[in-house]
Amino acid sequence: MKKNRSSGFDRRNTINFYAFIAPWLFGFLVLTVYPMLESFRLSLTDTGFTGDGSYIGFANFIQALSTETRVLTAFKNTFFYVLMFVPLNLILSFFLGWLLSRKIKFLGFFRSVFYIPYLTAGVAVTIMWGWLFNGTYGLINYTLSLFGIQGPNWLGDKNTALICIVVMNLWSIGNNVLIMLAGIQDIPTSYYESAEIDGASTWRQIWSITVPLSTPTIYFNLVMGVIGAFQLFNQPYILTDGGPVDSTLTVSLFIFRNAFEYGKMGYASSVAWLLFVAIMVLVLLIQSTQKKWVFYGDS
Amino acid sequence: MKKVFVILLAAAMLLSMMSFASADEPALSGKLTIWAWGADAEAEQRDAIIQAFIKAHPELEVEYSIIPTADSVWDQKAAAALTSGSAPDVIQMSPDYFGMNTKYYMDLRPFVERDGVDLDEVLVPGMIEGYYDTDGKLEGFPMHANIFCMAINKDMFDEAGVAYPEEGWTLDDMMDWGKAFIGGEGANKTYALAKHWVMNAAMPYAGGGTPYADDLSECYMNSPEIQKSLELYQKLILEGYMPNDAESQAIPSAILFQSGLCAMYPLGGFESASFLADCEENGINVGLVPMPMGVGENAKEINVIYATGWAITTTAKNPDAAWAFLKENAYANEEMGKATATCGMPAGKEVAENFYAKIEYPGFGTYFNDYMVEHLAKSHINPWGGTLASTGDIWANMVQAVTMDGMSPEEAMAKYSQQCMDEFSSYGFATAMKAN
């Protein structure tokens, strides 16, 4: 009798479980799993804009990896962006998060100031930065000219265009700052009090307490930052259209152009899968190192 | 009684004639679905065209949508509908856009033959050619087309003592007299020619050649003429006749002209009304002159056609009504033709010559629209539309390499022209045409 009641309870529990996750599961299967499988199928075809295409095996992947020089350029640019943006993003957001965790005047104001750029519409911000960086009319070059310096054509020079995009994106790291701040505020104050009693300097406290105990947050920001940075699209699309001379052509922009401007759906899908693999490999690499440098509270 | 008999006989004859006529041209009935793209003035134009058709055909139930093109909304919707077989009877298309050379559009030649119409008689010259696909099928029918003429700032020309350009002028000529317009620094920098977005599409013709054969069988992106085009483009920008990409991104080319900072602006038919009104508002004394010619013996005008038309989809449920819509918009319904004229030159010769060409712009008379009618056949279909955009992007890289990256035209040709050739040969239709 007891057994029956228990199995009835379990069954109800199971039904409830599936009923509650069903909407999400449905969305996940229809909006994520199915498109992924379909894009993999497309990547093995020469499907065009209107859906026509036949099976061509791995020809798209071979073309992308061997003959198409622009794919290589797009991956090179994207890696370069990730290498510049992600570490700077982590350092800056940690530093700002730490500053905002201090007991200073106008704390609420400063927290808002750093968070507002994150809330501002991306396209508007991008256009604004385009004006700031403009070689002829831009505020940055105007300011430099006051000191007798002739600024470069920031977005028109292939050596500076991608750096401008890094700077632009560093301006809106408010969300990462907020996550860092939450992580730093989670550290028990007693650790700092003990350190102070022991005579540790502020720098020593940061290095020996704040940084190690913030590593789970840093790890989270690192993984999310890498994934986000690999998908860079808006700024090069709006500001430079991938130029000059493909110097801001990113993989996402390359995929978009091939799919929606050139009508090469199959080829675009294959490059999208290459991007997926690149992100996955890098995230797995980061994950494999986490035991060595991420310290959780209970470890 | 005799009179009644005569009247009855005449009525019977008339009826029989009418029934004979309708044997060729089936009576229309049922539902017709139409999809158009566009926003703002374009959307209003499409709406007016369709409303004129509805007015002329109360016997039809017309259902239509005007879909925005921004953010690829049109592309996605049209592609999904065509591939899933749920496309409307009539769908807007363009000869330089996606859709041509696929299985989704009906061949319109049987309709044309059934009507026994000589298209050269009823359509503006140069209007229909782009709608034939590579195997000769007529896949679309024109609605309107737009080309460019050159707007000049007459005050700047007068102050510089430069004569207004006349028919046949070339960019090579401009290298002499255009210097008079270059000057200033920073926000006051002045130029001879605005860098309109059409320049990347038009400039391949500046050297006197063409980027590829009209029938798409050969690509000529490695030709000396293309190199000459690059040389001209480089000179225009490096010597300050025209702003470079970065400069022109900050101030739209129309505003540069309307601010009195630029002596010439390639003016498209689609923007003429608002552009000229804005010039007047800003006190710019505008004149209109022809676009320049390419250099060399066989060179044509450096001018590009942006054309729009309609296709009947192969899944159309009411092809006869769909054909009625296409032909009436093109040449057989005056009201539809006039509604079309608000955004470009209508396809029909009658409306183009007798209505569109006579539309006057204050201060310019009928010059602008007269010019459009006269110069259409001398212009080229946008060379980088639709699938060809990928080759166009490589051309854009060649241009940036010589104008922003310090490369010489020879180096740029050596680096990129083969990429263009390879990209072009990767198109299915190019391979097919070469085999033929």
Side-chain angles (χ1 to χ4, degrees):
Chain A
M1 194 67 191
K2 196 178 172 188
K3 195 179 170 188
N4 279 349
R5 243 196 340 257
S6 164
S7 67
F9 180 74
D10 286 348
R11 202 167 40 247
R12 267 202 309 280
N13 243 354
T14 310
I15 291 168
N16 283 343
F17 170 76
Y18 283 111
F20 277 114
I21 68 156
W24 177 86
L25 199 62
F26 179 77
F28 177 68
L29 291 173
V30 172
L31 301 174
T32 305
V33 175
Y34 169 71
M36 280 184 77
L37 293 175
E38 179 61 13
S39 95
F40 187 69
R41 186 193 67 79
L42 279 175
S43 71
L44 303 176
T45 68
D46 59 359
T47 301
F49 184 74
T50 46
D52 284 339
S54 43
Y55 176 76
I56 54 166
F58 286 92
N60 283 330
F61 291 94
I62 293 165
Q63 185 193 342
L65 293 170
S66 59
T67 57
E68 169 86 61
T69 53
R70 297 185 90 190
V71 180
L72 190 67
T73 306
F75 269 99
K76 256 176 21 194
N77 292 340
T78 309
F79 272 112
F80 185 54
Y81 172 79
V82 171
L83 283 177
M84 281 194 293
F85 175 75
V86 175
L88 283 172
N89 171 21
L90 287 178
I91 294 166
L92 262 178
S93 55
F94 176 82
F95 179 66
L96 291 172
W98 177 77
L99 276 179
L100 294 175
S101 71
R102 313 289 289 172
K103 284 176 185 144
I104 51 170
K105 272 188 181 176
F106 311 115
L107 190 62
F109 169 75
F110 285 120
R111 283 179 183 174
S112 306
V113 163
F114 286 109
Y115 196 66
I116 281 172
Y118 178 74
L119 301 174
T120 323
V123 175
V125 168
T126 304
I127 291 170
M128 181 198 77
W129 276 99
W131 272 95
L132 291 175
F133 279 124
N134 187 274
T136 313
Y137 313 103
L139 191 65
I140 294 172
N141 276 5
Y142 171 73
T143 312
L144 289 174
S145 74
L146 296 178
F147 299 98
I149 303 166
Q150 196 188 343
N153 189 357
W154 299 99
L155 293 167
D157 186 329
K158 71 174 186 181
N159 299 312
T160 52
L162 197 59
I163 296 169
C164 292
I165 291 174
V166 172
V167 173
M168 206 178 293
N169 283 340
L170 284 174
W171 185 69
S172 51
I173 57 169
N175 199 42
N176 291 343
V177 173
L178 206 69
I179 293 168
M180 284 288 189
L181 173 64
I184 292 168
Q185 282 179 332
D186 253 5
I187 301 170
T189 49
S190 56
Y191 292 2
Y192 294 107
E193 285 161 7
S194 305
E196 253 178 47
I197 291 166
D198 291 345
S201 65
T202 308
W203 172 244
R204 173 49 89 186
Q205 286 177 35
I206 293 173
W207 193 243
S208 300
I209 300 171
T210 318
V211 170
L213 293 179
S214 297
T215 46
T217 320
I218 295 171
Y219 171 67
F220 173 79
N221 272 350
L222 172 65
V223 171
M224 299 313 284
V226 164
I227 294 171
F230 263 106
Q231 294 171 6
L232 176 70
F233 175 79
N234 282 356
Q235 290 80 3
Y237 178 64
I238 295 165
L239 270 191
T240 57
D241 199 23
V245 205
D246 281 349
S247 61
T248 56
L249 178 69
T250 61
V251 182
S252 296
L253 183 56
F254 183 86
I255 293 168
F256 174 82
R257 275 190 185 166
N258 274 275
F260 299 109
E261 289 180 8
Y262 310 158
K264 297 177 177 176
M265 292 290 178
Y267 187 54
S269 298
S270 69
V271 180
W273 273 92
L274 290 177
L275 177 64
F276 172 74
V277 169
I279 295 174
M280 198 171 68
V281 167
L282 204 62
V283 169
L284 287 175
L285 267 175
I286 295 167
Q287 198 182 16
S288 69
T289 63
Q290 68 149 325
K291 278 186 182 165
K292 291 177 184 160
W293 63 274
V294 181
F295 305 102
Y296 292 100
D298 54 354
S299 60
Chain B
M1 186 64 193
K2 205 174 176 181
K3 266 185 187 170
V4 173
F5 180 72
V6 169
I7 290 167
L8 280 174
L9 195 66
M13 281 174 70
L14 198 66
L15 273 173
S16 70
M17 280 168 72
M18 282 170 71
S19 63
F20 178 74
S22 63
D24 266 3
E25 212 172 299
L28 303 179
S29 64
K31 189 173 169 181
L32 176 70
T33 50
I34 304 167
W35 278 12
W37 72 64
D40 306 323
E42 280 189 337
E44 283 169 25
Q45 180 220 35
R46 318 294 192 248
D47 193 57
I49 292 168
I50 297 168
Q51 287 300 332
F53 182 75
I54 291 170
K55 197 174 135 195
H57 292 278
E59 75 279 18
L60 287 172
E61 183 197 339
V62 179
E63 196 178 280
Y64 68 99
S65 298
I66 300 168
I67 298 157
T69 47
D71 300 327
S72 304
V73 172
W74 167 268
D75 298 346
Q76 290 164 18
K77 217 170 152 58
L82 288 167
T83 47
S84 64
S86 58
D89 298 306
V90 174
I91 193 162
Q92 194 178 335
M93 51 83 76
S94 176
D96 64 359
Y97 199 46
F98 294 109
M100 293 280 293
N101 296 295
T102 64
K103 61 185 181 187
Y104 298 112
Y105 299 154
M106 253 186 205
D107 184 3
L108 302 176
R109 287 176 301 179
F111 293 102
V112 176
E113 281 161 22
R114 188 183 72 187
D115 283 4
V117 177
D118 180 357
L119 295 181
D120 291 339
E121 288 290 314
V122 294
L123 298 177
V124 174
M127 196 60 91
I128 190 74
E129 284 73 9
Y131 293 87
Y132 287 98
D133 77 6
T134 46
D135 57 10
K137 268 170 69 184
L138 179 59
E139 293 207 1
F141 219 57
M143 170 179 22
H144 75 222
N146 276 301
I147 55 170
F148 291 77
C149 77
M150 192 65 83
I152 60 165
N153 182 327
K154 285 161 83 174
D155 290 341
M156 281 180 83
F157 271 79
D158 294 343
E159 275 168 34
V162 175
Y164 304 153
E166 286 177 4
E167 182 98 40
W169 70 283
T170 69
L171 291 178
D172 246 358
D173 300 338
M174 198 195 74
M175 301 295 170
D176 295 328
W177 49 260
K179 281 193 179 83
F181 302 113
I182 304 169
E185 280 299 321
N188 297 317
K189 207 168 172 182
T190 57
Y191 304 91
L193 179 61
K195 193 175 184 306
H196 193 288
W197 51 259
V198 78
M199 293 309 286
N200 267 12
M203 280 304 285
Y205 302 102
T210 171
Y212 48 79
D214 287 345
D215 67 359
L216 301 170
S217 59
E218 291 281 343
C219 180
Y220 304 130
M221 288 301 289
N222 58 352
S223 66
E225 288 82 5
I226 292 294
Q227 186 170 324
K228 174 72 184 167
S229 296
L230 264 186
E231 285 165 11
L232 283 168
Y233 214 151
Q234 187 186 42
K235 246 182 150 180
L236 284 177
I237 287 177
L238 295 191
E239 294 183 16
Y241 294 94
M242 196 160 73
N244 64 28
D245 274 0
E247 287 164 343
S248 57
Q249 255 166 358
I251 293 196
S253 51
I255 292 175
L256 195 72
F257 182 85
Q258 287 155 357
S259 311
L261 295 171
C262 189
M264 292 185 285
Y265 175 85
L267 176 61
F270 50 87
E271 59 184 339
S272 53
S274 59
F275 177 85
L276 295 173
D278 289 344
C279 285
E280 198 185 352
E281 202 176 296
N282 286 289
I284 302 294
N285 186 9
V286 182
L288 299 172
V289 300
M291 288 291 280
M293 293 290 291
V295 294
E297 270 177 37
N298 303 316
K300 283 176 76 179
E301 192 166 295
I302 308 174
N303 210 339
V304 177
I305 306 171
Y306 284 87
T308 300
W310 306 99
I312 303 177
T313 58
T314 43
T315 53
K317 293 178 182 70
N318 199 344
D320 287 321
W323 170 244
F325 179 81
L326 264 61
K327 74 170 180 186
E328 288 186 27
N329 189 191
Y331 63 83
N333 181 322
E334 196 181 328
E335 202 180 330
M336 288 173 80
K338 285 179 177 173
T340 306
T342 55
C343 267
M345 178 168 48
K349 208 185 243 180
E350 178 75 18
V351 179
E353 287 174 356
N354 298 322
F355 176 75
Y356 175 78
K358 289 180 179 160
I359 295 174
E360 292 196 12
Y361 290 95
F364 303 101
T366 61
Y367 178 89
F368 191 81
N369 292 359
D370 268 343
Y371 173 88
M372 295 281 158
V373 176
E374 197 186 313
H375 285 246
L376 183 77
K378 299 176 184 174
S379 307
H380 315 264
I381 288 278
N382 167 26
W384 309 131
T387 312
L388 291 156
S390 55
T391 306
D393 277 350
I394 302 173
W395 161 251
N397 267 350
M398 293 169 86
V399 171
Q400 288 182 346
V402 299
T403 59
M404 298 168 90
D405 198 28
M407 227 183 237
S408 72
E410 294 80 13
E411 287 168 333
M413 289 295 285
K415 183 168 180 189
Y416 294 105
S417 64
Q418 192 55 46
Q419 280 184 35
C420 287
M421 306 292 282
D422 293 344
E423 189 63 29
F424 191 87
S425 63
S426 73
Y427 306 139
F429 53 77
T431 317
M433 287 309 292
K434 201 161 187 174
N436 289 340

